[in-house]
Amino acid sequence: GRCRFAAAVFPGEAQHCYCNLCRRLSGAAAMTWIPASNDHFRWTKREGLRLERTTSHGQRHVCTSCGSVMTIVYDSQPDCTWPVAGILDDCSC
């Protein structure tokens, strides 16, 4: 894809959000987010990446090529980026 990242996520932590916006953006009953400290998160490809304010309390990284929501960054947690669990892949396999 045009947007990629490398991250060390916090094991065992996940947030399942079923708010109206997450349901609309994903087309599913909920979106699952996994936190990563910004010290362990970096974009490796940013082509077409845009940070959009989507709520009064957070912003989402969106791929402008395919429209995928990639992460959420909460205003109250500026040192943490939450990738969407469905876009994670494990290169150690």
Side-chain angles (χ1 to χ4, degrees):
R2 294 178 67 196
C3 304
R4 295 189 63 83
F5 62 86
V9 296
F10 298 126
E13 286 194 48
Q15 170 185 319
H16 307 289
C17 184
Y18 52 88
C19 77
N20 193 34
L21 181 59
C22 282
R23 291 193 319 259
R24 281 190 317 212
L25 290 173
S26 67
M31 286 183 96
T32 300
W33 307 92
I34 300 178
S37 166
N38 286 347
D39 292 337
H40 303 285
F41 181 95
R42 66 181 170 80
W43 292 101
T44 58
K45 286 180 76 177
R46 303 180 63 98
E47 196 176 319
L49 185 68
R50 182 173 59 219
L51 184 61
E52 296 181 359
R53 168 120 345 240
T54 52
T55 68
S56 62
H57 59 273
Q59 302 177 78
R60 288 175 170 84
H61 285 102
V62 177
C63 175
T64 60
S65 179
C66 69
S68 292
V69 174
M70 311 255 330
T71 72
I72 190 166
V73 180
Y74 294 105
D75 295 341
S76 63
Q77 295 178 315
D79 296 331
C80 187
T81 299
W82 294 70
V84 176
I87 64 170
L88 296 178
D89 58 7
D90 185 354
C91 297
S92 66
C93 298

